[in-house]
Amino acid sequence: MNDFVDEARSRVAHLLRMANTTDDRIKAQIIEYADTTPEPPVISRGAGIVTTGCPRCLRTAWRQHDCEGPLWVCGTCGHVEPVTVRCPHCEVDMTPPAIGTPDLWTCPGCPRTAATGDRPQDIEDRERKRLGTVSR
């Protein structure tokens, strides 16, 4: 089959083909799921796919970008919330990575960096390691 034909297929068609079922009840559930949930994100070269738990339904939320920055979008219930990372030293929101770049948040007030999901201790450990490398 031609790759272009496969790309043109809808999400419903892909899900139904993967399910490979003749059960009409299951087909209806798949169609309802595809119609009521957001599309998964396109995989970027820089960050790949980053996920977290949805605070509402406890299913998987994907990190996506819009014009205002990164967002968590739940693949089940559609809940959307902004992605934020706070600098534990300056106590300000860190600057998010640009679209298509590696997952590296930067603090506007100090040289600390973080990845999505880092705990304050992870950020401080990374800074200690950076300072140790610089002082050699």
Side-chain angles (χ1 to χ4, degrees):
M1 176 187 317
N2 186 318
D3 287 339
F4 295 112
V5 172
D6 193 47
E7 287 178 17
R9 286 193 171 147
S10 69
R11 180 177 179 208
V12 173
H14 283 287
L15 292 172
L16 289 171
R17 189 178 76 226
M18 286 189 316
N20 193 24
T21 183
T22 57
D23 186 333
D24 289 336
R25 192 183 95 250
I26 292 175
K27 285 181 181 180
Q29 289 174 336
I30 290 169
I31 292 167
E32 179 185 0
Y33 167 79
D35 289 344
T36 59
T37 59
E39 292 284 332
V42 175
I43 299 174
S44 71
R45 287 187 300 193
I49 291 180
V50 180
T51 62
T52 190
C54 174
R56 283 196 182 160
C57 70
L58 306 179
R59 300 288 181 106
T60 302
W62 295 296
R63 188 178 71 189
Q64 298 188 31
H65 265 276
D66 71 0
C67 61
E68 296 179 12
L71 302 165
W72 291 118
V73 180
C74 180
T76 303
C77 71
H79 174 69
V80 177
E81 66 182 50
V83 177
T84 58
V85 177
R86 277 191 80 71
C87 175
H89 176 58
C90 300
E91 296 184 359
V92 298
D93 286 345
M94 298 178 97
T95 305
I99 296 173
T101 62
D103 184 23
L104 186 66
W105 296 69
T106 56
C107 179
C110 71
R112 284 171 176 73
T113 59
T116 302
D118 275 357
R119 299 169 304 162
Q121 187 61 46
D122 299 330
I123 297 169
E124 291 301 328
D125 290 347
R126 182 180 291 112
E127 179 63 7
R128 269 192 291 286
K129 184 176 178 181
R130 185 190 72 80
L131 290 173
T133 302
V134 169
S135 67
R136 289 183 191 174

